[in-house]
Amino acid sequence: MRCGMLDVQHTALKNLSAEEFWMAEMARRSESTKQRYRMFLDKFCRFVGADPDEIVETRRKDLESSDPKTRRRFEILLKQFINYLEAEGYSVSSLQVAYAAIRSFFETHYMPLMMRRGDYPSGEGIGQRAATKEDLRKMCERADVRGRALILCLKDSGLRVSDLAELRVGDVKKHLMAGEEYAPIQIVTKKKRIVARTFFGPEALEALKEYFERREKGTRHVEPEKLTDSSPLFVTKRKQPLTRSGLSSLITQLAQRVGLERISAHSLRKFFQTQLEAAGVHPNWIEQMMGHKLEGVKGAYSMPTDQQLREAYVKAYYSLRIFPIKVPNEEINVLMRRLHESQERILMLEREREQLRERIIQLENLTRELEEERKLRLEYEKRLDRVERLLEEFMRLRKEGKL
């Protein structure tokens, strides 16, 4: 029975096209990665004028050739393809993805391209920059309730939009109901299948609370929504889950609305890392919050507890915060009254200090006078002692009849 199933599976695999077989091999890759790889394979096919199956067959024949130039046909074509993309204005990072995609296609069919070290696209591209606090404030000011919550969740957590799209209301609801300022978020990332151990801070939670209330209440154009623990964290106006591309588009649109260039959803992830680094959080801990894999001994020995990560995050949150802390009017009045009392106390202490300073001067003068009196007394005692000795000598001489 088991052998029969294997035969069926083998037959199914044999019937797959070259591209379908490639995609089957990439089953554990994220959907976004597979989409980008397929896009670059499609461009490569158009560039060389052949479909994936024809490319595989041509590569097989090339490898059987005794001519080294023929055997390296596709290595040369890949380099020419990368040059073509570069001329089209693709960034260095996109060139690297294209390079990896085409190599992956050939490796899947057991005909790897023998590229040389210098063939890999390198250099620095302009790319997307890290957002600043001012950028994020501008975007929030022009955003609706949903857009504001999205911005604050991304900058507070450092999550990729693909992972944020997987979160549910239940992931934060209990923390909101408990009135907590920080909500731990743990999720297996779609891209790397690594656990990200991050947090939503006060700004994100406050924005989410307002967003949830708006969804439950509804508007003139949107019906009220009954939120459950399984409800998506972010939804469209038709109450459908917002996808990765939908979330990314929202961020891009908000940035463009306020005239910001080179800002994307990834810019908020860069903001998260940059701000935590500036606050002194250990780089390995930031990597674990962001769902990055630690290489080598770092992964084996850098193992902070959830409590340690929370304490580091809370301590550094001042660096992630983009708005001033809101203080109630009553608390402001209390603080102002305490400030006034403190100022009066300071004035009183300054007066006492002046009085003490004057007293010290008086004591110093008195001390100098006493010192002068002491010196005079010593001088008088010396004179008296000499007079007494002279008197004794006079009396002795008088007694001896010498006077």
Side-chain angles (χ1 to χ4, degrees), residues 346-379:
I346 290 172
L347 290 174
M348 184 183 70
L349 290 173
E350 287 179 345
R351 286 194 295 269
E352 290 181 1
R353 183 183 64 180
E354 291 301 318
Q355 292 173 356
L356 288 172
R357 185 173 294 167
E358 292 177 359
R359 181 59 179 162
I360 289 172
I361 293 173
Q362 292 175 356
L363 289 173
E364 289 176 346
N365 292 335
L366 181 59
T367 300
R368 284 195 294 271
E369 292 175 0
L370 289 173
E371 180 63 20
E372 292 175 358
E373 290 292 332
R374 189 182 69 80
K375 291 179 179 179
L376 286 173
R377 179 179 175 182
L378 289 174
E379 182 64 26

Side-chain angles (χ1 to χ4, degrees), residues 266-360:
H266 196 65
S267 298
L268 278 69
R269 189 165 160 84
K270 291 181 178 181
F271 169 86
F272 178 84
Q273 180 172 354
T274 302
Q275 295 303 122
L276 290 189
E277 287 174 346
V281 179
H282 196 286
N284 289 354
W285 293 20
I286 299 175
E287 295 290 306
Q288 295 185 48
M289 291 184 196
M290 298 180 71
H292 287 160
K293 183 178 180 181
L294 297 180
E295 301 296 337
V297 295
K298 292 181 180 179
Y301 294 102
S302 183
M303 295 183 289
T305 64
D306 292 343
Q307 182 61 29
Q308 286 176 319
L309 286 179
R310 178 187 176 89
E311 290 174 357
Y313 181 88
V314 172
K315 185 178 180 181
Y317 190 74
Y318 72 91
S319 193
L320 291 173
R321 182 182 289 279
I322 64 173
F323 294 108
I325 298 176
K326 295 180 180 179
V327 182
N329 290 334
E330 295 180 2
E331 190 172 344
I332 292 177
N333 292 334
V334 171
L335 292 174
M336 290 297 292
R337 185 166 59 252
R338 289 179 179 175
L339 177 61
H340 181 68
E341 292 173 353
S342 297
Q343 290 174 337
E344 290 183 345
R345 177 63 176 165
I346 290 172
L347 290 174
M348 184 183 70
L349 290 173
E350 287 179 345
R351 286 194 295 269
E352 290 181 1
R353 183 183 64 180
E354 291 301 318
Q355 292 173 356
L356 288 172
R357 185 173 294 167
E358 292 177 359
R359 181 59 179 162
I360 289 172

Side-chain angles (χ1 to χ4, degrees), residues 102-253:
I102 306 308
R103 292 195 68 185
S104 169
F105 176 76
F106 283 97
E107 287 170 3
T108 296
H109 292 89
Y110 295 93
M111 294 180 289
L113 299 177
M114 308 304 292
M115 307 304 293
R116 296 184 173 88
R117 183 177 299 178
D119 295 336
Y120 184 72
S122 60
E124 296 184 358
I126 296 177
Q128 301 300 311
R129 63 180 177 86
T132 65
K133 291 188 177 185
E134 181 62 26
D135 293 336
L136 299 181
R137 281 195 292 267
K138 288 180 179 178
M139 292 169 65
C140 284
E141 289 169 0
R142 294 289 299 275
D144 59 10
V145 175
R146 182 185 63 178
R148 180 184 173 92
L150 173 59
I151 293 168
L152 297 178
C153 283
L154 287 173
K155 71 89 179 172
D156 265 13
S157 66
L159 288 173
R160 299 182 181 92
V161 286
S162 57
D163 297 321
L164 188 70
E166 296 296 311
L167 295 181
R168 296 292 179 262
V169 170
D171 292 320
V172 296
K173 184 178 178 181
K174 63 180 180 180
H175 303 290
L176 288 175
M177 294 180 65
E180 298 176 13
E181 287 190 300
Y182 299 90
I185 302 295
Q186 294 197 10
I187 184 172
V188 178
T189 63
K190 295 193 70 176
K191 184 174 183 179
K192 297 292 186 180
R193 312 304 298 173
I194 302 294
V195 176
R197 302 157 63 195
T198 187
F199 304 87
F200 285 155
E203 290 186 329
L205 291 179
E206 182 181 350
L208 282 174
K209 182 179 179 181
E210 185 180 359
Y211 175 49
F212 292 164
E213 290 174 351
R214 178 68 60 85
R215 286 166 64 178
E216 290 179 320
K217 184 178 180 181
T219 66
R220 287 191 305 168
H221 306 290
V222 180
E223 291 292 325
E225 179 182 356
K226 183 178 180 181
L227 295 182
T228 65
D229 286 351
S230 60
S231 298
L233 196 65
F234 290 96
V235 295
T236 65
K237 293 181 179 179
R238 295 182 179 180
K239 302 183 180 61
Q240 296 300 311
L242 261 172
T243 62
R244 169 192 174 277
S245 59
L247 294 171
S248 294
S249 295
L250 274 177
I251 294 297
T252 303
Q253 291 168 12

